[in-house]
Structures are given as structure tokens and as C-alpha cells.
Amino acid sequence: MSQVRTVGVALVLLTVLILPAISAPVAPQPGGTLVIGRGADSVTLSPYASAAPDAEVIAHIAETLYELTPDGRIVPRLAESLPRMGPDGRSMTIRLRRGIRFHDGTPFDASAVKWNFDFILNPENRAPFRAILLGEVTGVDVLDPYTVRLNLRRPFVPLLAHLTHDFLAIHSPTAVQRAGGMRPPTGEPYGRQPVGTGPFRFREWVRGDRIVLERNPEYWGPSKPLLDQIVWRVIPDDGARVLALEGGQIQVAVRVPPRETTRLALNRALRIERTSSVRTIYIAFNNQKPPFTDVRVRQAFNYAVNKRAIVQTVLGGAARVSDAPISPGIVGYSPIQPGGWPYDVNRARQLLAEAGQGGGVNVTILHPTGRYVQDAAVAAAVQAQLRAAGINARLQTMEWAAYLAYTNQPPDRTPVEMFMLGWGTVTGDADYGLYSLFHSSQWAPNGFNRFFYRNPQVDQLLDQARSETNAARRNDLYRQAMTLIWRDAPWIFLHSESQVTGLRREVEGLVVHPTERILAHTAWLRR
Amino acid sequence: MEGAGGHRPPLIREGPVGRYILKRLLLAIPVLFGVSVVVFAAIRLIPGDPAQIMAGQAATREVVEEIRTALGLDRPIPVQYLYFLRNALRGDLGRSLFNGAPVVEELAQRFPRTVRLALASMLVAAAIGIPAGIVAATHRLSWVDTFVMILALAGVSIPVFWLGLNLILVFSVRLGWLPAFGHETWRHLVLPAVTLGTASAAVVARMTRSAMLEVLSQEYVRTARAKGVPEGRVIRRHALRNALIPVVTILGLQLGTLLSGAVLTETVFAWPGVGRLLVDAVLARDYPIVQGTILLIATTFVVLNMLVDVLYAFLDPRIRYA
């Protein structure tokens, strides 16, 4: 009897001690509240949104017709299938899913889609992203209750990628009216109480403090939300945010500073995730100002900077050396020079000598402080490295608002020689990352070509790619354009940032998207 | 600092308190008017365009122009100021350029939080500073005095964010006693109040010490001692009551500083008060919020100064309004 008992006890002990250790992944558990700490609050949760802190909250409440997956594919969401292009490329027909309702109970259908797009397209409403996202759309037709057609000014293939953008998410027209409409510039009063079709419903927003969403039990999608609530808390100080994570007051901390990662890696209650971002960091030359009008000088600067060392040391490995003007994960990306622009000081000196600058170059480099990860430290590293090639760089920084204005002057007035900036290709399509920056029609202050680059061949390739419907041919056009840009070297091509996110161990299924949004649609908490 | 503030001259020795307050309030009008002109002009003279920031880096010039027109920023600055003044006199400070929220509403939501934090910090400052100053004064030039004064020096020298983060590290992360951020309950108030109150406690300790030393050397104190009054009673009844007068002045002025200078503490503890509102608004060139917040802070200073003067006369029997 006692032997049986002993064996029994031993078996129970074995089960208790060993089984949890060898048990495979636990099935997702419903319930719980996920608290995400981030540095900035949202401004509006309406189509008047203009930044990532808005987008990542909207993405849980209101859905887009298409979705950009973290690996850079476009898949249908509220649409039933990929769109059909008209024979002349000047229309796009989209079939919608049936049986979906907004959180207020009203149906999602073609008229709701038309209402949303019409609102943004109406210039009087002054939606900030109208020109960028829907600039080529002239109107929307309802073909039947579940089919819409977008009419285009000219063939414009990037539109499909634009439709994945959270600023084009479909909101409930009834809810907008009930809330009292949307007024520019920020979509008040609706922008504080959004209603969509998404897996989470809006619950509360205390400005500067927190936004609370709750599970939508009637969510239509195949993967049901598991969390009871998602809370975004604003903790502006990087150090304080990390401490709140260590103390367990929040379960996710965004933008963990590189200096903290080594220490946090030792904490068994936490894990650190590094996710690539579509944000490319560069130092641009004023391409219209000597000596930077000479391609040899621009190339020499690229040879003189050791990007790999900067990524390894200054950024603690939390970045990827640029091998093209845009980052991986963007439709149309291909590596132009694998490994990045080579580091070769002798070649830099030689090119400078050939360009008649052998006696040394004096230049001022502008950089922001605190806008991008370690931006000031990166600029200082570049300055030190340039010295070895006989380039004497002076660093100058300014506060962000002033910086934006200062670098946005027309070519005949700007005093700028070199400046650091970043560009996030948030539509996930190369057009947004290349046309806006390198096309000569986009010279500042009209567009974002603040470095006054002009190459007629590049212009032509970028124009062509906009209307090329064949994906392979379109990729090839972008590859050609990027090869020319790379050789012309209008920038020092630095790196694309990684997003460093701190999570408590119990957090599962969270997606850190390359477009710099935290997505908790399928997240759950292990208990 | 030795002895400073002990001879603050009262502005009026005669006349009823009511008349005095009225006069001070009337004097506040040109002060606030001046503040509004300076703030209005200064925030517009620094480079940076709110329309550009709002529209984002990627916006076209057309969009930026549209926003600028919509916000009325295309009008001449003096005209903008007259509009602002007209509305302000009606109690309307405009709307945030960024989130469209009425400035008055935003301030009404955030100012009470900052007041709560400032009052709690002042409590910390008084509770630590006054006893420390008394002990230092009564043990003058002993090791206790030196120790307290070194602590006081450290208190004013330690950067707020360093102290705040270390308090979080110890009491929130290691011990788990108090929350690291948030503002819902009194437990959320402890760490920020200690962080913010420490520097003021140091100032109050130094002021209390010097005021006590001055009073303790007075003849009436010597007389009291000569009469055989117990030392504890000499300190409490004879010395402290008189020494507190400059301390009250300092506390009043510290409250003004605490109300407007809580920016770093509010940032470290994610405390959504007016300090953070102001810094965020300056960085984003949110003109109406900047104007409204600074006017509020200026008003607070004016009112506090007045209250300190009234209280001063109340505490000092030599000063009377009537």
C-alpha cells in the first residue's frame, strides 16, 4: 500500500515538475489588459491623423480595405479580393466583404466606403494626407452594394499600397454624423470617439495620459481578439518607460534606448525584440551647391564614412546598413550594393583630389537631436570619420520645429550644405520612398527633395513605374532608378533603423510592424 | 541667503485689507497685459511653422498653406493679437492648433493635477525643511548643523530627473511599494512629490536656519532664557513664531516655482499637468496653448505674491492694514 502511495506521489511530482517544462506552446488564453508605454500621445483618431501614434491606435479600431503584412505583402482585409484594374489602368474596382457591421451596428458596405473617400477627397475638408494618398483619385462610384470603383486621373499603381494606410481606414458614417462631424485640422469632435469595424472598440481617451480600447466581441474576422483591453500610456521619458516595464506597470515599452538593451537582456522577466523599420536615415548634400555639384565629392564622402562601425557601436546593432535608397520590406526594394557603400578612406582622398578638393573640405552638417535613435551621436561619429579623409565638418543642431523649417527653403535661398533626416516609407510602396524624395518636381519647398537632386533619367523611370501594372517590370524600373541614384550619391547612405521594443515575458502574439506601429490584434497574456 | 527676506517691506501699512487686495489686483492687469504681448510676439518670432509641423514632413506646400489659412496664421501678427485679446477678454483663449481642444478646457483639466502635485511637494518641503532648519540652528556649528547643511546643498544640486528615476528604481522596481507613473491615487503622488519637493525642502531648511539664528540672538530670547524659561519653550514660543515669517514668504514663492517648474518631474513621472503641456506646446509651436499656459502661470504668481503679502501681515503683529 505504502509502495503504491510512494509511486503515486512520485508520479504526481514528476508530472508537476517536468510536464510544464516540456509542454509545448500554450494555447492562446483570452482575457487580461495589455498596457503599452509609448513616448507620445495620439493627436486624433480620425482620417485627419498624420503620424504613427495616431495610426497604431486607429489600426485596432477601424480597418482598411487592404492590409500590408509585416513581410511586405498586400492582402485583402475589408475587401474580398485584390482589385481589378480597368483596361486603360484608370480605374480600380474593389469587391467588399459582406455581413460586416461597424461597432455602432450600422452595416459596412459600398456606400460607407464611398462616404469615407468622398470626405477625404473633398478639398474643403482639408484632410492632410489627401494629396499624398488619394491625389490621383478623381471620384468613387458605387457599382452595387458591395462593389466600388475608384476613378483615376492617370494610371497609378501605388494606389493599392496607399489603401493599406490607416489614414484611409473606413469609419462609420453614421457615427461621424452622430458625433457632430469632423472639422479640420484634426477631425474634432469625431476624432476623439472613433467607430470602425475593427477587433477593438474605443472606450476612453484622457489626453496626454492614456487611450483605452476594449474587445469587440462581435468581431467579424477569422482571428478573434483575445485581450479584454488595450491601454496606451504616455510616458515621455525613455528611462522612466523602461523602469515602468521592469516594475511591471506596463507590459510593452516602445523605443527602448540602445544603451539599456544589454542590461535588460539580463532580466529574465523581459525580452527585447528588434524589428526592422521602413525608416531610412541619411545625410543629404545640397546637390546644387559646390563642391557637392561634383559627383566625385559626394562619392568621396560616402567612402569616408564607416556605416558598419556606426551601426555596431553607436546604435548597438539596432540598425541595418543601407544597401539601397529604401529599406527591405517595401514593395519595389532590391539591394543595389549588398553590404552598403564600402568604407575606403584612400579612395575618398583620391576622389577628393581628382575633384580639386585635395586641400581639404570645410562643411557644416546639420542634425536633429532626439528625433531619431542616437541622431546626435551618429552625426558626431560621421564628423570624426570624415576627418580621416581630410574633411573638416562642423556640427550644428536645432530644435525639431526650427530644423524642419530651416531645411525646407528654396534652392536659391537655402544656406544648408549637409543635413541629416529620415524618411519612413509608411505606405510600403517604393513610389512613396523614391518619388517624394528624388523626383525633380519635388524640390523644396514644394516637396521633400530638400537636397535638390535632379536626374532626368531617374525622373522618367519613376514616372513610368507609377503606371506599370506588371509587378516584375515595375520592380525592374525601380531597380534601374535606384542604381542611378546610388551612383549619383545625393546622400551619404547611412542605415535603416530598427525598432527596439521591450516586452514582459507573458506577452505573446504582439506584432511590431515595420511601419512603426505596435499591433495587438492577436496578442494575449500568458498566465 | 543668510538673513535675506527677513526684512521684506510690506507695501501698505494702512487701509483695509480689501482695498489693498483690490489695488494689487488692479496692478495685476498691466502685468498680465505685458506678459500676453511678450509671449504672443516671442512664440511667433522663433523659427518653426505650426502648419508645417501639423501637416507632417511629407505634406505638399499647398496643404501647408491651406492649414495656415484655416488657422488664421496668414494674417499680420498685430491683427492676430487683437483677435486673441478680444477673445481672451471674453474668457476664450482659443483652441489648440493640434488637437482642436479648447485651451480653457485643456487647462481646466490639467491645472488641478499640477496644483495637487505642487501642494504635496510644498508639504514635503515644509515637513522636511522646517524641522531640519530648526535642528541645524539649535546645534549651530556642530556636526549636526554641518550634516544638515550638506544635505541641503545636495538637495538643491541633485537634478530632478536623476532623483526621480532613482526613486522609481528603488521604490517601484526593487521594492514594488509605489507606482512608477500615473496620477489616479495618493500612492501615485508620493514619488513625484518627494522628487519635486526635495529642492524646495533644501531652500526652506537654509532659510529656517538663518531666520532662527537671527531670532535666537535677539535680546528677548536672552531675556526669556534669563527668566529660566525651558529651552524647548524658548524655541517654540519665542523664537520659532518670529522666525517663520520669512519662511512663509519663501514657501509662498516656492509654491509659484513648483506650479510652473514641475516640467521635468511631470515628464519623468508621466504626470499630465501644465508643465508638460507647456513644453510640448512650445516644441510643437501650438501658439494658443503656449499663450494660455503662460498667462495662467503669470496669474498664479501674481495671486500667490499677493496672498503671501497678506499672510505676512497676518503673522507679523507689527504690520497691520487697518
Side-chain angles (χ1 to χ4, degrees):
Chain A
M1 191 64 188
S2 77
Q3 259 183 342
V4 173
R5 206 163 57 201
T6 314
V7 172
V9 169
L11 268 179
V12 169
L13 271 177
L14 265 178
T15 320
V16 170
L17 290 176
I18 294 176
L19 259 189
I22 56 170
S23 65
V26 188
Q29 294 155 322
T33 297
L34 180 75
V35 186
I36 303 170
R38 56 178 184 169
D41 196 10
S42 300
V43 169
T44 174
L45 303 178
S46 71
Y48 284 92
S50 63
D54 302 334
E56 70 180 353
V57 179
I58 293 172
H60 293 81
I61 303 169
E63 295 174 289
T64 43
L65 297 179
Y66 295 95
E67 182 187 348
L68 179 71
T69 62
D71 55 345
R73 285 175 303 120
I74 293 175
V75 296
R77 188 149 189 130
L78 287 176
E80 194 180 69
S81 50
L82 288 174
R84 207 157 35 79
M85 298 301 291
D88 56 356
R90 290 173 57 172
S91 70
M92 190 183 256
T93 305
I94 300 167
R95 293 196 56 77
L96 307 174
R97 282 185 209 271
R98 292 155 191 263
I100 298 176
R101 289 186 175 275
F102 290 108
H103 302 154
D104 61 1
T106 56
F108 161 80
D109 55 16
S111 64
V113 174
K114 178 175 166 55
W115 188 92
N116 273 268
F117 286 178
D118 279 353
F119 184 91
I120 296 170
L121 285 170
N122 182 350
E124 282 180 17
N125 289 329
R126 296 193 212 97
F129 270 67
R130 169 176 52 101
I132 292 165
L133 295 176
L134 293 182
E136 302 295 331
V137 177
T138 53
V140 183
D141 297 326
V142 173
L143 300 185
D144 69 48
Y146 292 99
T147 311
V148 290
R149 183 178 61 206
L150 307 184
N151 302 311
L152 309 181
R153 220 177 296 282
R154 59 182 81 95
F156 187 67
V157 179
L159 180 61
L160 176 59
H162 292 188
L163 293 178
T164 67
H165 203 292
D166 294 305
F167 302 164
L168 297 182
I170 307 299
H171 296 257
S172 159
T174 315
V176 173
Q177 274 143 22
R178 224 173 259 163
M182 293 188 276
R183 278 193 312 273
T186 53
E188 291 285 303
Y190 171 79
R192 299 194 200 201
Q193 41 195 318
V195 176
T197 55
F200 289 88
R201 295 190 299 214
F202 175 80
R203 179 156 163 191
E204 183 193 19
W205 183 358
V206 182
R207 275 208 197 279
D209 185 41
R210 65 178 180 271
I211 293 178
V212 183
L213 309 187
E214 61 186 14
R215 181 155 45 113
N216 170 15
E218 278 125 45
Y219 182 58
W220 64 271
S223 54
K224 308 291 179 204
L226 293 162
L227 297 167
D228 288 337
Q229 287 193 341
I230 311 174
V231 181
W232 280 270
R233 302 272 333 213
V234 182
I235 308 178
D237 186 79
D238 287 346
R241 199 160 59 241
V242 167
L243 287 175
L245 180 75
E246 292 183 80
Q249 263 197 295
I250 60 176
Q251 281 102 39
V252 180
V254 304
R255 274 185 79 122
V256 172
R259 62 171 188 275
E260 301 275 12
T261 50
T262 327
R263 185 174 67 80
L264 294 181
L266 300 172
N267 187 335
R268 296 174 61 89
L270 310 177
R271 67 174 194 274
I272 299 293
E273 280 188 7
R274 289 186 175 81
T275 320
S276 68
S277 156
V278 292
R279 186 173 301 279
T280 300
I281 307 295
Y282 58 88
I283 295 178
F285 305 101
N286 180 342
N287 284 256
Q288 299 301 320
K289 192 178 172 96
F292 304 113
T293 43
D294 190 327
V295 65
R296 289 169 298 190
V297 173
R298 303 195 300 262
Q299 291 180 343
F301 273 69
N302 269 289
Y303 279 115
V305 174
N306 186 347
K307 296 107 190 159
R308 190 158 306 281
I310 291 175
V311 166
Q312 297 292 317
T313 56
V314 181
L315 298 166
R320 178 183 182 279
V321 174
S322 291
D323 53 11
I326 54 175
S327 318
I330 296 168
V331 177
Y333 158 85
S334 51
I336 301 302
Q337 184 158 28
W341 197 293
Y343 171 56
D344 186 343
V345 182
N346 291 330
R347 181 92 183 98
R349 283 181 172 281
Q350 187 191 339
L351 279 168
L352 285 175
E354 281 173 24
Q357 302 290 334
V361 182
N362 289 306
V363 64
T364 300
I365 303 178
L366 289 171
H367 66 89
T369 301
R371 182 71 187 182
Y372 308 113
V373 179
Q374 298 285 89
D375 43 16
V378 170
V382 168
Q383 178 192 38
Q385 293 171 353
L386 289 176
R387 201 169 294 138
I391 298 161
N392 178 28
R394 202 170 67 88
L395 295 184
Q396 195 185 338
T397 188
M398 2 178 142
E399 171 269 340
W400 180 243
Y403 191 82
L404 270 187
Y406 195 72
T407 55
N408 194 31
Q409 303 178 64
D412 51 325
R413 282 221 308 269
T414 185
V416 176
E417 294 180 310
M418 292 176 72
F419 62 93
M420 178 194 283
L421 265 183
W423 182 263
T425 306
V426 289
T427 59
D429 188 277
D431 179 70
Y432 188 61
L434 296 175
Y435 194 94
S436 316
L437 291 168
F438 297 103
H439 199 281
S440 64
S441 66
Q442 303 297 308
W443 278 21
N446 292 313
F448 209 70
N449 186 341
R450 295 179 171 198
F451 38 93
F452 314 114
Y453 172 66
R454 188 204 316 265
N455 181 334
Q457 268 180 291
V458 170
D459 285 356
Q460 200 192 342
L461 287 163
L462 294 178
D463 284 329
Q464 264 180 296
R466 284 193 146 184
S467 53
E468 178 56 67
T469 48
N470 179 296
R473 278 203 295 271
R474 191 161 175 261
N475 277 345
D476 190 56
L477 291 171
Y478 282 132
R479 199 185 47 72
Q480 290 179 47
M482 288 194 293
T483 307
L484 290 172
I485 294 168
W486 193 262
R487 205 193 54 205
D488 286 343
W491 299 346
I492 300 178
F493 299 100
L494 291 178
H495 56 266
S496 53
E497 288 187 341
S498 294
Q499 309 173 70
V500 184
T501 313
L503 300 94
R504 295 201 62 89
R505 280 267 173 225
E506 63 266 26
V507 179
E508 301 279 352
L510 193 78
V511 174
V512 182
H513 201 281
T515 52
E516 301 189 342
R517 297 169 303 157
I518 299 253
L519 301 179
H521 296 74
T522 54
W524 56 280
L525 299 171
R526 190 194 284 270
R527 263 160 298 188
Chain B
M1 177 93 40
E2 200 91 1
H7 302 291
R8 189 185 167 88
L11 287 171
I12 297 175
R13 284 173 181 275
E14 286 143 357
V17 180
R19 226 186 85 201
Y20 171 69
I21 292 176
L22 188 72
K23 192 172 168 193
R24 288 296 297 265
L25 284 177
L26 286 174
L27 273 173
I29 293 173
V31 170
L32 293 179
F33 180 76
V35 167
S36 79
V37 173
V38 170
V39 172
F40 198 91
I43 185 75
R44 278 166 176 75
L45 287 176
I46 54 175
D49 176 358
Q52 175 73 56
I53 301 164
M54 264 174 95
Q57 297 180 24
T60 59
R61 177 144 73 160
E62 186 198 5
V63 174
V64 174
E65 287 303 329
E66 277 178 5
I67 292 177
R68 193 173 293 132
T69 311
L71 298 174
L73 297 174
D74 54 339
R75 290 184 292 220
I77 290 180
V79 175
Q80 290 183 41
Y81 180 73
L82 289 179
Y83 273 104
F84 163 74
L85 198 63
R86 187 193 66 184
N87 293 333
L89 290 174
R90 295 173 182 162
D92 174 10
L93 291 171
R95 284 169 178 272
S96 159
L97 298 185
F98 281 79
N99 60 33
V103 175
V104 173
E105 200 177 285
E106 194 91 1
L107 291 175
Q109 195 180 34
R110 285 171 175 259
F111 193 55
R113 297 184 195 135
T114 297
V115 171
R116 194 144 39 103
L117 178 57
L119 287 176
S121 308
M122 206 174 81
L123 203 67
V124 169
I128 298 174
I130 294 177
I134 295 171
V135 170
T138 51
H139 296 75
R140 190 181 179 191
L141 301 180
S142 73
W143 66 269
V144 180
D145 185 20
T146 316
F147 180 69
V148 169
M149 284 305 102
I150 288 175
L151 270 190
L153 188 65
V156 281
S157 313
I158 290 175
V160 162
F161 55 88
W162 185 88
L163 179 63
L165 288 176
N166 277 286
L167 287 176
I168 295 177
L169 187 64
V170 174
F171 292 99
S172 184
V173 177
R174 296 271 179 273
L175 299 171
W177 290 351
L178 293 163
F181 70 92
H183 57 93
E184 288 84 0
T185 68
W186 68 266
R187 295 179 67 241
H188 292 95
L189 193 55
V190 178
L191 294 183
V194 171
T195 305
L196 185 58
T198 297
S200 300
V203 173
V204 169
R206 294 184 69 92
M207 178 52 72
T208 307
R209 175 179 179 271
S210 50
M212 280 295 282
L213 287 179
E214 198 184 314
V215 172
L216 285 174
S217 66
Q218 298 286 325
E219 290 187 352
Y220 63 84
V221 172
R222 200 171 40 187
T223 310
R225 282 184 178 143
K227 281 198 304 188
V229 179
E231 186 62 15
R233 196 176 151 88
V234 169
I235 291 184
R236 278 197 311 275
R237 290 288 299 275
H238 297 261
L240 187 58
R241 268 201 69 175
N242 292 306
L244 274 184
I245 295 168
V247 174
V248 166
T249 313
I250 280 293
L251 273 175
L253 295 176
Q254 283 293 317
L255 183 60
T257 313
L258 293 174
L259 280 169
S260 56
V263 177
L264 285 173
T265 310
E266 289 187 357
T267 300
V268 169
F269 290 95
W271 187 275
V274 288
R276 242 178 78 203
L277 182 71
L278 179 61
V279 170
D280 290 347
V282 169
L283 291 178
R285 305 290 189 271
D286 195 340
Y287 300 158
I289 295 273
V290 174
Q291 289 153 199
T293 311
I294 293 191
L295 272 183
L296 177 68
I297 289 171
T299 310
T300 311
F301 257 99
V302 169
V303 170
L304 279 176
N305 261 321
M306 187 181 77
L307 288 180
V308 166
D309 282 342
V310 173
L311 194 64
Y312 190 80
F314 186 74
L315 284 176
D316 189 342
R318 289 167 299 182
I319 305 163
R320 283 287 173 263
Y321 296 112

